[in-house]
Amino acid sequence: MTTDEFKTISNVGEGTYSEKRSKFLAFSHHVETEEQVKDIVAQYRKKYYDARHVCYAYMLGAERQVFRANDDGEPSSTAGKPILGQINSNELTDILIVVVRYYGGVNLGTGGLIVAYKTAAAEAIAASEIEIRQVEELVTYNFPYVMMNDVMRVVKEMKPRIVNQVYDNTCEITLSIRKSEAEQLKNRLDKLSFE
């Protein structure tokens, strides 16, 4: 993968794991903000109010630098960390995995818990559609109306996504393009001003 690509999921994946009567229900979600993470975790806490633990981990951003693992009362590093480990080993980002545990009356020990949370998270990922997305950069360009055809020719050739356009005496177009191609797009548009 190039530096301007990242892997994420596009649907909600579900997985389950059972061990010594404990049930682990795992759900993977595509998320882009910590606000979304909080909302989704709160929904699971409400829906599964009778579960013993609602553990989760998430990773955000193409650089994969925003992440958190939460054990929700399980022994330290036995729940959130194994879930995050699955996110890492699949090189995913913009993802939240929530694992709901119904306690079965038998302690699994730290090793058993790690295996259970790891396996449930892996099942949720396996049920997810993984897709590669591009890191995009926004390029805004101002130009006089007479240059419209030249600008649109560059847009047609380089195929950026048009995010916004304003046509007036002075026109402005905002384009979203793959990060690795942004510099080339800026240069081509800037050159138009001097032709």
Side-chain angles (χ1 to χ4, degrees), residues 26-28 31 34 37 55-61 63-71 77-99 113-125:
F27 306 92
S28 60
V31 290
E34 290 182 326
V37 169
C55 306
Y56 63 91
Y58 64 85
M59 174 84 63
L60 298 175
E63 294 82 33
R64 303 178 77 240
Q65 288 175 341
V66 178
F67 57 89
R68 178 149 184 246
N70 184 311
D71 295 319
S77 301
T78 59
K81 241 186 176 157
I83 299 169
L84 187 61
Q86 286 303 303
I87 292 172
N88 278 324
S89 62
N90 286 279
E91 297 176 353
L92 293 165
T93 191
D94 288 352
I95 183 173
L96 161 68
I97 299 179
V98 178
V99 180
L113 286 172
I114 290 168
V115 167
Y117 281 102
K118 180 180 171 178
T119 308
E123 291 289 323
I125 291 171

